[in-house]
Amino acid sequence: MAEKILIPLTTDWQVTQVASGSVLLPFSLPSTLSSALLSTLPAQVPGTIASGLRAAGQFEYGKDNFDALDVWYFCDLDLPADAAWLHFEGLATHAEVYWNDSLILQSENMFIAHSLDLAALAVIGKGRLSLRFLALNTVLAQRRPRPRWKTRLVEQQQLRWVRTSLLGRMPGWSPPVAPVGPYRPILLELQSPLRISSRNISSKLDGEDGQCKIELLVQSTQALTACTINIGEQESALDWQDLGEQQYRIHGLCQLPDVRKWWPHTHGDAALYALELKVSSSDGVQTINLGHTGFRQVKVDQRDGDFNLHVNNVPVFCRGACWTPVDMISLQNEGKDLRQMLTLARDAGMNMLRVVGTMVYETDAFYQLCDELGILLWQDCMFANMDYPVTDAVFTASITTEVQQFLQRTQASPCIAVVCGNSEVEQQAAMLGQPAELWRNTFFAETLPALCEQYRPDVQYWPSSPSGGVMPFQLDTGVAHYFGVGAYLRPLDDARRSAIRFTSECLGFSNMPDDDLIDGMLKNGETPGSYPAWKQGIPRDNGTGWDFEDVRDHYMAELYKVNPASLRYADRERYLALARTTTGVVMASTMAEWRRAGSTCHGALIWFWRDLRPGAGWGIIDAHGKPKAAYYYLKRAMAALTVFITDEGLNGLALHVINDGPLEFEGELELNLYRHAETRVAHGRIAVQVAAHAAIKVSDYALLPHFVDTSYAYRFGPAGHDVVQAALYRTGEEQACATDFHFPSGQQFPPQADLGLQAHCSMDADGNHLLHLSTQKLAQAVVIQVPGLLPDDNYFHLAPGSSKQIRLMAVEGKSIKPGHVQVQNALGSIRVAVATSMAT
């Protein structure tokens, strides 16, 4: 194999912070450190100054202003004679790189990678590699033209000139941890007989066939005699041209008949093809792994203001979340933690994630895993809310290189479906009263779509999120950011009234984490509420007099008919329980509304995936990587095969069966009505068939033998039932594969002493833990808490007289201990002893 030999430079780094401008060259650093008695720390590379402080036990949220000081990284190296290139894959943000005391690189864009030819720079042997990261505050203090509008998203408007992440620089919702340092790898490349210096690899679907276009520039010490590429099991010959000076152009258009298509996981298999280049010369055959690709077609139906994404000519309801880095402090997303997060997203039925323009372009491993797991991506370019100076030639050249590098780096990834110019630039300009001609500049209107057409003609380009209507933020046209249900306190039926077409950002709530995280972040005697340590973890829009905990409490009062403030003081545990389920209920019911048969909506991405710091943040995953209650509600609402109940008023209840999968569904649909949350008073069951990638709507009257006021819309007298359950069964199976509940008189069921709930744990033949649950009365929001085990379902309802079996998966590195089951409408809890061997 002739793989490129890359050596990550990860060890023996040191880092220190000095006053801005106090050390201008590396030779001054030792004396400065000695005279000022400044300390150095072992540095994490890749990483940030914040991650270095955290590793040394010196990090505290808000303690350090990382934009106020210069940061120096240095490492002593002995470069071998065959050292050829030095690669810097990301330096945040204004950086200078020195070999000994010679400046060898300046970088002003954290999103651009740099490669240095060591032979040309005469960098060899022993020496010190030093990186100076200039204090961003000093850079921002330079006088530059003012913007045409100001945004509240950031305090420093001159950030529009600086190509850096807005993470850590957005008051109200991002912790004050600005990324400073070599946050992406530094790699030493050794000389090799054959080296790929540039590549263009693109794939597309052509009817039932796949096409893969290959164009490579290679340097070879030996004359080439043959070139082929294996795409999966098919080998194709490639042409090559001798360009002189040991440089060759290798190219070809490969055709794969009857190719296996790449699908989002909800709709089919995410089929991938390995790419393996074979180059023959007098030295023999050299083989180079070029990664993988997939074949799919992406189109968006935009007729009549729509935004309906089709994959392989099949409409896909895109659902998921706005992605947040696994670790905001270090910006590292590698290894098992990344796979765990993306697997959780896939298992929740999410088939699309959005990489938001306020954050960072993700790592290669991220895109590769999304390819593998069948997760579509809405990819913003890293621009948000500001009036960017695209008329400045130097600035525009930098951002053009930035986007070009990203598109080339991810060119073969089938997961990327949409490339979006920015986040909320058009909305911000419009809301601040700017004329329409200023909403979209030439870079987003012309340069970016041209770059996408050149490097990714297989994706949909969209200029801004949101945009598409008469006003960019119009909800019923194009792409919207929807917070009607949420920040604007609209009733739940506003989700239907707003006639959303596609919302790339929606349903932001302060989602309450479980007790273990709360107990770990608060001091003894502190509780969720007004304590500063707690409020720092509550997101808010900058400059508002309310936060998203107020939003959650508003909907708690609506759902459960309680006074949240009084409940928080009088019954903390009850308040926390209702806080967890409130946001889950609201998000799941809204998602069901948008996914129902006949909805105008074709996609919804939750704001957002994981908390940036411990607390009750917007994330449906907490800062430690554990799913919150809202995750489980959404998991049921986003499932590829599911059933929903919607209240259609005087038309009764509608049951929606959705089958996103590639095979027809055959089974039975059941409807049950219960009085006093215990006695079944009506029942019906019918056979149903749902075609692949389809949905059906069934009236409740099609299942019941006589008229029942199922939605309690006629109100001829007291309600005859207070619980409605829909259950979907596969043919021949006894346990429902999906259920949904509706409560005609509301969700406020008072806690009872005895629901007849029983729980015990066993192990199956494969060693998996199983929790067996049964109840006599309605068990509302069943919560399973077993240390060391993660349930595959949680915060679900159990219908009266029913049972359910839940798989419990071991959490790596955690010891398994006895736990308990808590129910929202029950007093006390049930202890669960964990089985250690298979039941006999």
Side-chain angles (χ1 to χ4, degrees):
M1 299 288 287
E3 300 287 354
K4 183 187 293 185
I5 303 174
L6 294 173
I7 302 174
L9 301 182
T10 60
T11 59
D12 301 324
W13 285 92
Q14 298 287 310
V15 64
T16 189
Q17 301 178 87
V18 301
S20 175
S22 62
V23 178
L24 301 180
L25 292 170
F27 68 80
S28 303
L29 194 58
S31 60
T32 301
L33 295 176
S34 176
S35 62
L37 298 178
L38 294 175
S39 61
T40 62
L41 297 172
Q44 295 183 331
V45 176
T48 63
I49 178 61
S51 64
L53 290 169
R54 180 178 62 182
Q58 299 180 24
F59 173 79
E60 183 179 329
Y61 286 104
K63 175 185 174 184
D64 298 285
N65 182 352
F66 298 117
D67 286 337
L69 299 173
D70 286 355
V71 177
W72 281 89
Y73 283 73
F74 49 92
C75 176
D76 292 325
L77 298 173
D78 186 359
L79 298 177
D82 59 348
W85 294 85
L86 196 56
H87 303 285
F88 298 89
E89 303 210 336
L91 302 171
T93 291
H94 276 237
E96 299 170 346
V97 179
Y98 296 86
W99 177 252
N100 294 324
D101 292 325
S102 298
L103 179 67
I104 58 175
L105 173 66
Q106 286 183 293
S107 175
E108 296 183 352
N109 186 331
M110 75 175 279
F111 305 123
I112 289 181
H114 302 274
S115 295
L116 302 181
D117 185 339
L118 298 181
L121 293 170
V123 173
I124 205 71
K126 293 183 178 181
R128 172 167 287 192
L129 185 64
S130 303
L131 287 65
R132 178 194 178 203
F133 295 91
L134 283 67
L136 200 64
N137 287 352
T138 302
V139 176
L140 294 172
Q142 299 174 17
R143 295 182 63 85
R144 293 188 177 98
R146 294 181 177 179
R148 291 168 293 183
W149 72 82
K150 292 184 178 181
T151 175
R152 283 187 176 181
L153 183 69
V154 297
E155 292 180 333
Q156 176 50 265
Q157 301 299 314
Q158 296 292 7
L159 276 169
R160 72 193 188 104
W161 286 90
V162 180
R163 294 308 299 142
T164 192
S165 175
L166 299 185
L167 279 171
R169 300 178 174 107
M170 295 173 285
W173 71 266
S174 174
V177 187
V180 177
Y183 77 106
R184 291 290 183 255
I186 301 175
L187 304 167
L188 176 65
E189 180 183 345
L190 303 184
Q191 294 174 2
S192 58
L194 187 144
R195 178 179 188 268
I196 297 176
S197 55
S198 74
R199 66 174 69 189
N200 278 304
I201 301 174
S202 60
S203 59
K204 71 174 185 178
L205 200 61
D206 182 19
E208 296 301 312
D209 299 340
Q211 283 187 356
C212 189
K213 185 178 181 180
I214 310 290
E215 185 168 358
L216 309 170
L217 285 179
V218 303
Q219 293 173 321
S220 176
T221 58
Q222 299 295 322
L224 305 189
T225 58
C227 296
T228 61
I229 188 167
N230 284 1
I231 305 177
E233 297 179 355
Q234 176 174 313
E235 185 176 67
S236 302
L238 298 175
D239 297 323
W240 78 95
Q241 295 171 294
D242 187 344
L243 303 179
E245 298 182 349
Q246 298 184 334
Q247 185 163 269
Y248 295 83
R249 174 176 175 259
I250 299 174
H251 59 96
L253 181 63
C254 306
Q255 195 87 7
L256 282 77
D258 197 25
V259 74
R260 291 182 296 120
K261 299 174 184 177
W262 186 94
W263 291 92
H265 72 93
T266 48
H267 287 65
D269 294 329
L272 294 175
Y273 286 77
L275 302 174
E276 195 173 69
L277 178 70
K278 294 183 178 180
V279 179
S280 300
S281 68
S282 57
D283 278 349
V285 179
Q286 301 181 66
T287 305
I288 300 176
N289 177 11
L290 296 179
H292 64 246
T293 194
F295 298 92
R296 89 291 179 265
Q297 181 190 65
V298 171
K299 292 183 178 179
V300 176
D301 184 350
Q302 299 180 43
R303 290 174 296 179
D304 300 323
D306 211 348
F307 192 96
N308 187 354
L309 189 140
H310 291 61
V311 178
N312 305 329
N313 293 318
V314 172
V316 173
F317 186 94
C318 301
R319 66 274 193 181
C322 294
W323 175 257
T324 44
V326 170
D327 179 19
M328 177 196 166
I329 294 174
S330 69
L331 292 183
Q332 301 309 296
N333 274 359
E334 308 297 340
K336 64 181 182 181
D337 291 338
L338 176 61
R339 178 173 287 276
Q340 179 194 15
M341 287 297 99
L342 289 175
T343 301
L344 278 174
R346 181 203 61 189
D347 291 349
M350 296 186 177
N351 59 18
M352 178 176 273
L353 297 171
R354 176 180 168 214
V355 181
V356 186
T358 52
M359 303 194 188
V360 293
Y361 301 102
E362 272 301 340
T363 62
D364 290 345
F366 173 82
Y367 297 101
Q368 291 164 6
L369 272 172
C370 288
D371 289 341
E372 174 190 329
L373 297 175
I375 300 175
L376 294 163
L377 288 179
W378 174 297
Q379 173 70 56
D380 285 0
C381 298
M382 292 301 118
F383 304 92
N385 294 72
M386 293 184 284
D387 178 24
Y388 290 95
V390 298
T391 57
D392 183 272
V394 174
F395 182 87
T396 299
S398 176
I399 59 177
T400 300
T401 299
E402 164 193 324
V403 176
Q404 180 182 359
Q405 282 190 359
F406 168 75
L407 293 175
Q408 283 190 289
R409 175 167 67 92
T410 59
Q411 196 172 32
S413 284
C415 66
I416 299 177
V418 179
V419 171
C420 181
N422 63 72
S423 171
E424 296 190 346
V425 169
E426 293 187 19
Q427 172 179 288
Q428 188 77 85
M431 282 190 164
L432 292 174
Q434 297 296 311
E437 59 267 22
L438 297 185
W439 297 350
R440 185 181 303 170
N441 60 43
T442 56
F443 184 76
F444 300 123
E446 300 173 12
T447 306
L448 275 182
L451 286 171
C452 285
E453 180 61 29
Q454 180 179 357
Y455 295 106
R456 288 303 305 254
D458 61 315
V459 306
Q460 172 70 45
Y461 175 75
W462 195 251
S464 187
S465 179
S467 66
V470 176
M471 283 288 178
F473 44 85
Q474 184 174 338
L475 297 178
D476 60 358
T477 306
V479 174
H481 287 185
Y482 177 76
F483 295 97
V485 175
Y488 305 130
L489 309 183
R490 301 289 295 169
L492 298 189
D493 61 7
D494 186 73
R496 182 179 295 198
R497 186 181 305 118
S498 295
I500 300 292
R501 303 302 185 94
F502 191 105
T503 172
S504 55
E505 186 175 308
C506 63
L507 300 177
F509 288 95
S510 172
N511 292 305
M512 188 68 71
D514 286 344
D515 286 339
D516 53 356
L517 186 138
I518 295 173
D519 295 341
M521 65 175 288
L522 296 178
K523 297 177 182 178
N524 187 32
E526 294 182 345
T527 62
S530 59
Y531 287 95
W534 177 255
K535 279 299 184 183
Q536 287 172 4
I538 304 299
R540 65 165 58 242
D541 285 339
N542 193 26
T544 62
W546 53 270
D547 62 28
F548 280 80
E549 197 157 49
D550 299 323
V551 172
R552 184 191 66 227
D553 285 357
H554 166 83
Y555 287 98
M556 184 192 300
E558 292 290 312
L559 284 177
Y560 297 116
K561 311 305 179 187
V562 298
N563 183 323
S566 299
L567 189 63
R568 186 168 62 243
Y569 301 146
D571 190 343
R572 171 185 180 271
E573 297 306 318
R574 179 73 172 164
Y575 172 80
L576 292 179
L578 296 185
R580 293 183 182 110
T581 59
T582 292
T583 59
V585 169
V586 171
M587 283 195 266
S589 63
T590 305
M591 188 63 66
E593 170 59 44
W594 287 334
R595 288 192 70 194
R596 66 179 172 84
S599 169
T600 62
C601 186
H602 306 296
L605 306 179
I606 301 296
W607 183 258
F608 50 45
W609 171 247
R610 176 172 172 166
D611 284 349
L612 298 174
R613 64 173 297 167
W618 279 313
I620 60 172
I621 303 291
D622 72 24
H624 295 165
K626 182 180 179 181
K628 300 182 188 179
Y631 169 89
Y632 292 101
Y633 281 90
L634 287 168
K635 182 177 182 179
R636 293 186 289 272
M638 292 181 176
L641 177 66
T642 192
V643 61
F644 297 131
I645 302 172
T646 59
D647 187 337
E648 304 299 326
L650 295 179
N651 287 319
L653 301 177
L655 281 62
H656 306 265
V657 182
I658 298 177
N659 176 32
D660 281 345
L663 301 176
E664 181 183 64
F665 171 81
E666 292 188 5
E668 293 183 303
L669 178 63
E670 183 178 69
L671 182 66
N672 297 300
L673 278 61
Y674 300 91
R675 180 183 297 140
H676 304 315
E678 181 177 9
T679 305
R680 189 165 75 177
V681 295
H683 163 74
R685 187 160 174 158
I686 61 171
V688 291
Q689 289 183 311
V690 187
H693 312 313
I696 63 170
K697 176 183 174 181
V698 180
S699 170
D700 53 1
Y701 302 135
L703 286 90
L704 299 176
H706 53 77
F707 170 74
V708 179
D709 187 6
T710 54
S711 61
Y712 193 45
Y714 290 93
R715 299 180 182 271
F716 292 147
H721 58 280
D722 48 14
V723 177
V724 180
Q725 182 213 29
L728 189 65
Y729 297 85
R730 289 188 174 90
T731 300
E733 295 186 3
E734 295 184 1
Q735 181 161 310
C737 58
T739 61
D740 195 26
F741 286 78
H742 176 69
F743 305 103
S745 301
Q747 308 224 13
Q748 60 277 16
F749 293 90
Q752 299 183 37
D754 185 11
L755 300 177
L757 183 70
Q758 295 183 345
H760 72 275
C761 194
S762 69
M763 295 185 74
D764 64 14
D766 297 323
N768 299 310
H769 292 83
L770 299 175
L771 181 64
H772 305 266
L773 295 166
S774 63
T775 186
Q776 294 177 6
K777 302 180 182 179
L778 170 74
Q780 185 185 24
V782 178
V783 183
I784 302 166
Q785 298 284 356
V786 181
L789 295 174
L790 188 69
D792 66 355
D793 196 7
N794 213 351
Y795 292 90
F796 52 84
H797 306 317
L798 269 181
S802 69
S803 61
K804 185 167 182 168
Q805 192 169 278
I806 303 295
R807 287 183 61 242
L808 304 175
M809 295 156 287
V811 179
E812 185 177 349
K814 300 288 186 180
S815 58
I816 299 174
K817 301 177 182 178
H820 65 273
V821 174
Q822 178 72 54
V823 179
Q824 187 166 289
N825 62 327
L827 298 171
S829 62
I830 298 177
R831 186 176 183 273
V832 176
V834 182
T836 57
S837 61
M838 188 177 70
T840 57

